[in-house]
Each structure stands twice: as structure tokens, then as C-alpha cells.
Amino acid sequence: MTINVYTEPTPNPATMKFMVNKLLINGSEDFANRESAEKSPFARELFKFNFVSGVFFASNFVTITKTGDTDWADLEPILKEFVKGAVESELKIKEAAPEDAPDFQGTETEIKIQQILHDYVRPAVEQDGGAINYRSFEDGVVTVELRGSCSGCPSSTITLKSGIQNLLQRMVPEVKDVVSEAL
């Protein structure tokens, strides 16, 4: 199989989404810094580039966060070639076996919220190179964690309030607010 890599800009100007024509991982893995990448051969190699400040994997893409003093026009060809080579050589994203099915836990309302986030919100957020994780539901407030390109993105507040909160309020009347937990 010939591996093709193409890039997509994300709403976060510090991140770029590198898409491949192969499934990389079931679920997602976030490596916000060099130290967190120790158990990921793929991420560890990416962090060897001094301009890489974050790496996020989901389904068929890797979102790379760059340092502020670099330009995507210079970095994109280098990273495309690296990602292509890493995928072709089957460089592992993580050592442990991936989890296949989501494990929703909590009350009936919490499970419904998690299912909606998984089925409706996750695919849309992944399109922009990010991920969303459910954290809690207490007193009508859903707390989520935004990762990948969504972490620190200028558009994330709009996505959170106009998109995710409106959807959850329509589908789960108990939801009053949605907030994002900082990493």
C-alpha cells in the first residue's frame, strides 16, 4: 500500500493536521510535551524536531503543534516526509494495545452525555485535528477536556458554547452549561 500524506490547516494557527490514507489508531493519544511521549516511539521521534511542541494522534491523522517562532511553509514538507516514512515503517504510536470500545460509566444521564459526545461531537472535533474527553457532570454542568488542535485554539470557546452546549442541551434537558477543563 502506498502511503499518502496531505495536510489540512486547523482553526488553531499553531497546529497542522497531517492526514494519511491508513488507520493509525483506534481512539486518540495526546502528547502535550516531550516527557509525555516517552512511551510512544512515533511521538518521541517527532519531538526530536526542535520546532515541535505537541503531538496528537487520532484515527487517520496526527496533529502537530509547532513553536511560535516557526513558519508552516518551512515545516510542512519536512513533517510530511517524516510522517510518510514513519507510517510506512509502522512506527508505533503507543506500546500498549488500543482500547476498542468506549467504556461509558456513571448515571443514566452521564452515560447519555458520553454517548452523544462520542457519536456526534468527537467526529466533528477530529475533523479539526482535535479530540474531546468527558470529565464530569455535576449540578447541570458538563466538564470536558479539549485536546490536540482544540487545546488553546481561539475558536474553542465558540465550539464549546455554540456547538457542544447547544447540542447537549437539546438532547439532555438536565444540561445547563458546558465548560472545558484545562490540561
Side-chain angles (χ1 to χ4, degrees):
M1 172 184 208
T2 302
I3 299 298
N4 296 313
V5 180
Y6 66 94
T7 57
E8 288 183 2
T10 72
N12 183 347
T15 67
M16 182 71 70
K17 188 174 171 183
F18 292 80
M19 306 283 300
V20 298
N21 58 328
K22 179 180 178 180
L23 180 68
L24 299 176
I25 186 172
N26 286 320
S28 64
E29 286 292 322
D30 191 22
F31 304 98
N33 55 48
R34 191 176 313 276
E35 294 74 33
S36 66
E38 283 307 308
K39 293 193 175 175
S40 169
F42 199 146
R44 199 169 50 241
E45 290 301 311
L46 278 167
F47 274 107
K48 288 182 179 177
F49 293 104
N50 62 354
F51 51 79
V52 171
S53 65
V55 177
F56 174 77
F57 296 96
S59 60
N60 68 331
F61 67 88
V62 55
T63 299
I64 300 172
T65 305
K66 68 176 184 71
T67 57
D69 58 344
T70 54
D71 188 346
W72 280 119
D74 299 327
L75 307 180
E76 199 173 325
I78 296 165
L79 290 170
K80 277 175 82 170
E81 189 63 33
F82 174 82
V83 170
K84 180 177 175 30
V87 173
E88 286 174 342
S89 67
E90 298 184 6
L91 194 58
K92 291 185 186 293
I93 291 173
K94 62 181 186 174
E95 300 295 341
E99 296 174 24
D100 290 332
D103 181 25
F104 304 135
Q105 297 180 355
T107 66
E108 188 176 323
T109 301
E110 289 173 305
I111 290 171
K112 187 173 182 180
I113 291 167
Q114 292 169 67
Q115 188 72 54
I116 292 166
L117 290 173
H118 182 268
D119 293 347
Y120 299 99
V121 178
R122 181 187 55 83
V125 171
E126 283 183 358
Q127 287 293 319
D128 286 336
I132 184 167
N133 288 330
Y134 170 82
R135 287 289 167 234
S136 65
F137 176 66
E138 191 174 320
D139 299 325
V141 179
V142 176
T143 302
V144 297
E145 173 189 62
L146 297 172
R147 300 182 327 171
S149 70
C150 296
S151 178
C153 174
S155 304
S156 64
T157 302
I158 295 167
T159 300
L160 198 63
K161 297 299 179 183
S162 298
I164 300 166
Q165 182 172 305
N166 287 344
L167 174 69
L168 284 173
Q169 286 175 331
R170 278 195 318 271
M171 297 179 85
V172 184
E174 298 89 343
V175 172
K176 304 297 177 223
D177 194 17
V178 177
V179 297
S180 179
E181 181 180 82
L183 287 175

